[in-house]
Amino acid sequence: MEWHVTGASGFIGSHMVAHLVKQGETVVAYYRTPPTDPIRIANLAYAERHVQIDLVSELPNFQSADRVLHYAADMGGVGYFHANDLWPYIANSTMTFAVLQAIQMAETPRAFLASSACAYPIQWQTSPRACMPLEEHMLDSGTPDQMYGREKLAMIKLAERMTQDVRVGIYHTVYGIGQESEGDRVKFPVAAVRKALKAVDTGRIECWGNGEQKRSYLYIDEAVERTMRIIDSPLYEGAVNIGREGSISCRGVFELVSQELGIEPEITYTDDKPTGVVSRDCSNRKFTKLYNEVADIDYQTGFSHLINWLR
């Protein structure tokens, strides 16, 4: 089959391309700018065809596609979205419209769109003590997390109304080698490891917030495996979580990576930086019912991979 992947130079998109090529599939890679990270460059090296395109202003051509995977997005960590609210919403909405229109025009047999846990209402993510696993039926019960989350919720609703088979995966935080490692788009797992690596020399780590903010993190290999199960299965009952059950606090991550590095740094806390929602965890009840269980990489192993890569 021929697979068309947007956002192919990004973190998850490039790993999906590499997986598909290894499975013997024909892949067409779409991206606005070529990758600069060595891992992403290697992941894209064997794609059958590369299409450099800006989906904000251009319509992709999916006429030959058997499958379309849409990963193109203007995204980053909590710091990025705290400083940039309007344009990512406009850009991501425009790209989603373009991709859905192209899917409809090409009558693509099956497609997959990457949504985000930011689509979930913030009201379920406010307790520092009770970190409630987010289930898909909660999506319509409140206000999503920032404008980015509003767009990701709209994506889910639009996919439901398509005449084609358009599936949606709700990604909780995915981490691993090849992730954004510099600039204001860096997400917490990479930021935590970078701070710990610096603490080998400085003996100090600064944590944004009080350290009690909780998230669950899914290693990239498991994210790819879960995504492929959703795409390949004859079963689909609406948007489904792609994440790891079991949250860990920011302080817990810093302690874990510090232990892996054999250091005992002083962790200080600041209240003048954005921290996002207080608590977020993932429920895999629906995923397991439809697609069976997937053995996740534990946090110690996953963050060890991240440490070795960033070193």
Side-chain angles (χ1 to χ4, degrees):
M1 290 195 298
E2 186 168 297
W3 298 67
H4 290 216
V5 183
T6 73
S9 64
F11 171 48
I12 302 178
S14 69
H15 279 277
M16 289 300 301
V17 169
H19 175 81
L20 291 167
V21 171
K22 288 177 182 177
Q23 296 300 310
E25 304 288 359
T26 299
V27 178
V28 180
Y30 295 78
Y31 48 82
R32 184 173 64 86
T33 56
T36 56
D37 176 80
I39 289 177
R40 298 187 193 183
I41 292 172
N43 284 344
L44 293 189
Y46 298 105
E48 181 75 16
R49 183 158 53 93
H50 290 220
V51 179
Q52 195 163 352
I53 183 173
D54 186 348
L55 294 175
V56 174
S57 58
E58 302 175 69
L59 202 66
N61 183 353
F62 297 147
Q63 289 298 328
S64 61
D66 298 294
R67 299 285 186 269
V68 168
L69 309 183
H70 176 42
Y71 286 99
D74 183 355
M75 67 174 302
V78 64
Y80 177 75
F81 285 123
H82 182 78
N84 301 275
D85 187 48
L86 177 61
W87 177 246
Y89 173 80
I90 294 173
N92 291 335
S93 297
T94 304
M95 287 189 279
T96 296
F97 296 153
V99 167
L100 290 177
Q101 184 178 351
I103 288 169
Q104 187 174 44
M105 291 171 60
E107 299 182 348
T108 304
R110 186 173 296 172
F112 174 87
L113 309 183
S115 186
S116 164
C118 291
Y120 279 104
I122 56 177
Q123 72 187 65
W124 301 110
Q125 306 171 67
T126 59
S127 173
R129 295 181 180 178
C131 189
M132 183 180 297
L134 298 173
E135 298 194 33
E136 294 82 355
H137 66 81
M138 298 176 176
L139 285 166
D140 294 322
S141 58
T143 303
D145 186 6
Q146 303 188 57
M147 293 298 288
Y148 179 78
R150 291 174 184 268
E151 187 275 325
K152 294 307 175 188
L153 179 60
M155 170 191 284
I156 294 170
K157 298 305 178 183
L158 290 169
E160 291 173 355
R161 288 158 174 76
M162 293 289 289
T163 55
Q164 282 81 22
D165 182 354
V166 180
R167 306 181 177 194
V168 179
I170 306 171
Y171 286 99
H172 292 245
T173 304
V174 179
Y175 73 108
I177 62 173
Q179 196 163 21
E180 201 73 36
S181 60
E182 295 180 355
D184 59 357
R185 296 178 185 269
V186 174
K187 291 196 170 184
F188 177 71
V190 171
V193 172
R194 290 188 63 188
K195 288 182 178 184
L197 287 169
K198 289 182 179 179
V200 172
D201 297 322
T202 66
R204 299 187 64 186
I205 290 175
E206 181 188 71
C207 176
W208 292 9
N210 62 9
E212 295 303 316
Q213 312 94 291
K214 295 181 178 68
R215 298 288 187 278
S216 66
Y217 304 100
L218 182 69
Y219 194 73
I220 183 62
D221 294 352
E222 274 59 55
V224 170
E225 169 65 21
R226 289 176 180 274
T227 301
M228 292 305 300
R229 289 199 187 188
I230 295 170
I231 297 168
D232 289 340
S233 174
L235 301 175
Y236 181 68
E237 297 179 4
V240 59
N241 285 332
I242 299 177
R244 187 185 194 277
E245 284 190 350
S247 63
I248 182 173
S249 69
C250 292
R251 179 185 292 113
V253 171
F254 282 126
E255 291 173 348
L256 185 154
V257 296
S258 295
Q259 183 177 10
E260 287 296 302
L261 291 169
I263 60 175
E264 296 183 8
E266 175 191 2
I267 303 176
T268 61
Y269 304 93
T270 176
D271 59 3
D272 62 351
K273 299 289 180 64
T275 59
V277 295
V278 175
S279 59
R280 177 179 292 163
D281 198 356
C282 174
S283 168
N284 283 331
R285 189 197 306 264
K286 181 176 179 179
F287 182 95
T288 302
K289 171 190 170 186
L290 294 173
Y291 311 115
N292 300 320
E293 293 185 4
V294 177
D296 293 327
I297 290 178
D298 61 79
Y299 287 140
Q300 184 174 2
T301 302
F303 276 94
S304 292
H305 292 332
L306 202 57
I307 289 169
N308 291 332
W309 170 60
L310 287 170
R311 272 173 163 166

